[in-house]
Structure formats: structure tokens, C-alpha cells
Amino acid sequence: MAGRSSATIFIQTKIKRMANMSYCRFENTLRDLRDCYDNMDSDDLSQSEFYARRQMIELCWDIYSEYCNNIDDEFEEEAK
């Protein structure tokens, strides 16, 4: 694990251990994502938080890019 700070290793280890329960995965993540969104302009970030914020933004973009068309289809199906 050369080249990684102890804070980064701790966060990655903690993330691997803390899994969401499948029945509330999206609800819990949405709540946490909203909290992150409300604090996007925070200047008081550690280096690991700074990089995690960037990775989160990139992941959100990937999710949007891959699933944005499916969202409209799902709403149309529910409306029927």
C-alpha cells in the first residue's frame, strides 16, 4: 500500500466493511448523497475527502450517463 496515506487506507477499509442492507441501499445512499451535495463547496476537506469528492462526482456522471434514458422509461411504465 505504498504511496497511500493512512487516512486513505482507513477510509477505504471502513467503506469495505460498512455495506448497506439491500432493502434500503438506495434510500440510505440518497440521504448521504444529499448531505454531500449540500456541502460540496466546503473548503475544509482533508486530502482523502477532496479526492473522494472528485471520485463521487465522476461516479454520479457515470451513473447519469448510463441510466438517464432508463429513468424516463421507468416513469412511463409506472404511469400506465
Side-chain angles (χ1 to χ4, degrees):
M1 294 195 180
R4 290 198 240 170
S5 72
S6 59
T8 301
I9 293 167
F10 172 76
I11 288 170
Q12 290 173 342
T13 304
K14 187 174 179 182
I15 288 171
K16 288 179 184 174
R17 280 192 238 144
M18 295 177 52
N20 270 314
M21 302 305 280
S22 61
Y23 63 88
C24 60
R25 171 183 296 129
F26 293 102
E27 292 173 10
N28 291 345
T29 303
L30 176 61
R31 190 173 17 260
D32 292 339
L33 186 58
R34 282 189 175 135
D35 179 56
C36 290
Y37 178 72
D38 290 342
N39 292 283
M40 288 298 286
D41 295 327
S42 176
D43 293 330
D44 189 27
L45 297 177
S46 66
Q47 184 177 9
S48 62
E49 276 291 279
F50 177 82
Y51 289 115
R53 177 178 60 183
R54 179 173 177 116
Q55 289 176 326
M56 185 188 72
I57 292 167
E58 291 172 355
L59 178 59
C60 287
W61 180 255
D62 291 344
I63 292 168
Y64 174 78
S65 298
E66 189 168 339
Y67 291 99
C68 67
N69 292 329
N70 295 351
I71 292 171
D72 291 335
D73 294 342
E74 286 181 24
F75 284 126
E76 287 177 15
E77 286 294 317
E78 287 181 22
K80 290 180 182 178

